[in-house]
Amino acid sequence: VRETPVRLSQLIDLVNERFGTEFNQADQLFFDQIVESAMNDATIRQAAGVNPSDKFELLFKTLIETIFIERMDQNEEIFIRYMNDPDFQKLVTSWMSMEAYNRLRRNAEESGGDARVISE
């Protein structure tokens, strides 16, 4: 049985294509960990339940910047690129925000309206 590729891997493909980077599976894991960490924030879970995606992204952006700073030593190349390249930051933030938003909304629907994170 083959597992469906993680949707976030499309972010790595898109970033590599658009920015000429050569990010790999380890970098994908870094992005995925940031999304997971953000999704465990109570404010983010609540925001996903009561806001449209564009409003959610504003709050999400602030949180992931904090997470990037906390984890800068885990992937310095991505951290530097994220902090210094506004186009890169915008693409990554948008993509990660939509991933978190969609997963939180789906989890909320599955759990009867509470936007808690459900381990996958």
Side-chain angles (χ1 to χ4, degrees):
V1 176
R2 290 184 147 191
E3 291 185 19
T4 308
V6 177
R7 185 168 179 248
L8 196 55
S9 68
Q10 294 173 0
L11 173 58
I12 297 301
D13 294 340
L14 182 61
V15 165
N16 285 343
E17 181 180 312
R18 189 168 297 173
F19 296 97
T21 54
E22 295 182 9
F23 294 132
N24 58 34
Q25 291 294 333
D27 300 313
Q28 173 185 321
L29 181 58
F30 178 74
F31 284 122
D32 195 30
Q33 290 171 341
I34 289 176
V35 170
E36 289 295 324
S37 183
M39 288 174 57
N40 284 315
D41 182 86
T43 303
I44 289 294
R45 289 193 311 266
Q46 182 180 16
V50 298
N51 288 293
S53 63
D54 59 332
K55 302 288 186 221
F56 173 81
E57 186 175 337
L58 295 173
L59 180 60
F60 186 85
K61 182 181 188 301
T62 302
L63 178 61
I64 66 165
E65 284 178 5
T66 301
I67 296 170
F68 265 104
I69 291 167
E70 290 170 354
R71 296 175 182 223
M72 72 178 151
D73 61 329
Q74 292 177 7
N75 195 316
E76 192 173 324
E77 181 183 1
I78 290 177
F79 171 77
I80 290 169
R81 186 73 185 248
Y82 183 84
M83 293 309 226
N84 294 320
D85 186 335
D87 292 333
F88 181 86
Q89 185 179 90
K90 183 177 179 180
L91 175 71
V92 168
T93 299
S94 260
W95 190 274
M96 292 171 69
S97 174
M98 282 308 291
E99 179 69 17
Y101 183 78
N102 290 335
R103 286 174 56 191
L104 286 167
R105 298 287 291 219
R106 185 174 59 247
N107 290 347
E109 289 171 8
E110 291 171 0
S111 67
D114 186 7
R116 287 177 292 183
V117 174
I118 299 171
S119 297
E120 296 179 315

